[in-house]
């Protein structure tokens, strides 16, 4: 299921202002079905704001966001999440004293809570919990984290925490995952491993990704398409090598 042009996500001409700061100044981009799209740009160019606008955390001032052809502009975050567009955070938003499994269950329960009245009619609470645990173990297996299910998150490495964060996102059966710097601060070996997992999730589950990342040396080789932002606008797009060699893109980084 995707939009008529084979895109799962269309961001059209979005604008977002914070007081006098124009964070998004008419940014337009798209994510194709099962594609791995990267968003680059210097600090402050609007990348995180774009993710926040798409996931409904910020209300945009102008423009449209479409998911599978449906206009989701202005939808509240929980509705966007439930519809299949999920984000991960630059700093993993995990419950560090809880175990890996519990972190996945917490993510899923908040979602079940939304549909509680519906679910209660159909299934007992115990049945629901059993299903959630089974699902969580499936997700942990996909990410090779099943051996760590009972480990508190604060005992994990930074890279493993990033994987748990991805695991939480997977609990909602997403179609698109928006990732804000999934390999920031992660050693190269684990960073490559995270991207291998992302490729696997695309292949096995058909998930599409929009990934914000500064570590071009590692990330570029994995992605299909790159958008470069500068001052809230997309200034170049295309194949990874072409975009990073575009003079305007190089200048935008040099200019800070
Ligand atoms: N909540 C906010 N309130 C005020 N200004 C904000 C807010 N969020 C972002 N901005 C401003 O909007 C602009 C874009 O910020 P954004 O965080 O989207 O950049 P970014 O591309 O993600 O940068 P980085 O690569 O450093 O993470 C910046 O000038 C920033 O200071
Ligand atoms: Mg950012």
């Amino acid at each position: 299921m995707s939009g008529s042009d084979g895109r799962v996500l269309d961001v059209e001409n979005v604008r977002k202002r914070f007081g006098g700061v124009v964070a998004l100044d008419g940014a337009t981009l798209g994510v194709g079905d099962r594609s791995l799209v990267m968003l680059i740009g210097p600090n402050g160019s609007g990348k995180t704001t774009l993710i926040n606008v798409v996931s409904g955390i910020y209300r945009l001032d102008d423009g449209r966001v479409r998911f599978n052809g449906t206009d989701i502009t202005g939808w509240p975050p929980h509705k966007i999440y439930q519809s299949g567009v999920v984000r991960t955070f630059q700093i993993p938003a995990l419950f560090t004293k809880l175990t890996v499994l519990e972190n996945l269950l917490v993510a899923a329960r908040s979602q079940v809570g939304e549909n509680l009245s519906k679910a209660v009619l159909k299934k007992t609470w115990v049945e629901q919990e059993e299903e959630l645990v089974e699902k969580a173990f499936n997700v942990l297996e996909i990410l090779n984290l099943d051996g760590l299910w009972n480990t508190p998150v604060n005992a994990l490495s930074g890279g493993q925490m990033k994987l748990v964060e991805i695991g939480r996102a997977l609990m909602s059966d997403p179609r698109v995952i928006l990732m804000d710097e999934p390999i920031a601060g992660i050693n190269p070996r684990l960073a490559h491993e995270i991207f291998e997992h992302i490729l696997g999730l695309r292949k096995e589950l058909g998930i599409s990704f929009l990934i914000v990342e500064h570590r071009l040396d590692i990330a570029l080789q994995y992605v299909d398409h790159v958008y470069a932002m500068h001052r809230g606008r997309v200034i170049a797009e295309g194949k990874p090598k072409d975009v990073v060699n575009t003079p305007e893109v190089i200048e935008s980084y040099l200019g800070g």
Side-chain angles (χ1 to χ4, degrees):
M1 223 186 25
S2 60
S4 54
D5 48 5
R7 283 185 171 182
V8 285
L9 197 65
D10 278 294
V11 177
E12 297 164 17
N13 224 3
V14 292
R15 292 175 194 279
K16 179 69 189 174
R17 188 185 261 282
F18 298 104
V21 177
V22 179
L24 294 174
D25 190 15
T28 296
L29 58 81
V31 177
D33 195 18
R34 294 175 179 247
S35 66
L36 236 157
V37 175
M38 190 158 137
L39 182 57
I40 66 170
N43 296 120
S45 54
K47 305 179 298 297
T48 297
T49 304
L50 187 126
I51 285 189
N52 284 331
V53 157
V54 172
S55 55
I57 291 170
Y58 293 151
R59 215 163 240 282
L60 40 75
D61 299 330
D62 199 11
R64 307 231 144 269
V65 181
R66 275 182 240 277
F67 169 54
N68 278 336
T70 302
D71 192 337
I72 61 167
T73 316
W75 283 19
H78 71 269
K79 197 173 164 198
I80 293 177
Y81 172 90
Q82 283 167 6
S83 75
V85 181
V86 178
R87 64 163 301 174
T88 66
F89 292 87
Q90 188 172 342
I91 298 161
L94 301 173
F95 298 97
T96 55
K97 286 185 181 160
L98 298 186
T99 66
V100 168
L101 178 68
E102 286 165 341
N103 268 274
L104 266 61
L105 294 177
V106 169
R109 281 195 198 110
S110 61
Q111 194 193 359
V112 170
E114 301 280 349
N115 297 317
L116 196 59
S117 52
K118 222 193 309 173
V120 158
L121 295 174
K122 288 192 196 141
K123 286 188 192 122
T124 66
W125 184 82
V126 172
E127 282 171 332
Q128 280 179 51
E129 283 294 300
E130 280 172 354
E131 272 177 25
L132 282 186
V133 170
E134 194 182 322
K135 183 171 186 175
F137 268 104
N138 284 340
V139 166
L140 292 177
E141 266 170 40
I142 292 171
L143 297 170
N144 291 334
L145 286 173
D146 43 323
L148 294 169
W149 69 275
N150 203 22
T151 304
V153 161
N154 59 20
L156 300 180
S157 72
Q160 288 167 333
M161 285 188 199
K162 295 274 187 185
L163 285 175
V164 176
E165 172 92 352
I166 295 171
R168 280 170 58 93
L170 292 176
M171 289 300 287
S172 67
D173 297 321
R175 287 298 316 281
V176 182
I177 302 184
L178 314 167
M179 295 186 153
D180 201 357
E181 304 196 30
I183 59 169
I186 302 301
N187 77 53
R189 191 183 55 78
L190 261 172
H192 282 291
E193 214 173 281
I194 286 171
F195 268 97
E196 294 293 344
H197 277 298
I198 290 171
L199 290 182
L201 294 172
R202 183 251 298 266
K203 188 160 174 250
E204 307 295 331
L205 303 176
I207 299 171
S208 311
F209 291 86
L210 178 63
I211 301 177
V212 169
E213 194 42 73
H214 281 293
R215 305 265 304 272
L216 305 187
D217 54 326
I218 289 172
L220 275 184
Q221 60 198 283
Y222 293 98
V223 303
D224 311 313
H225 199 83
V226 173
Y227 289 92
M229 278 184 86
H230 184 45
R231 297 188 177 138
R233 294 172 155 274
V234 171
I235 58 166
E237 70 160 297
K239 294 252 171 292
K241 283 251 159 59
D242 298 339
V243 173
V244 296
N245 288 315
T246 303
E248 289 91 328
V249 174
I250 295 167
E251 275 163 34
S252 75
Y253 275 91
L254 296 177

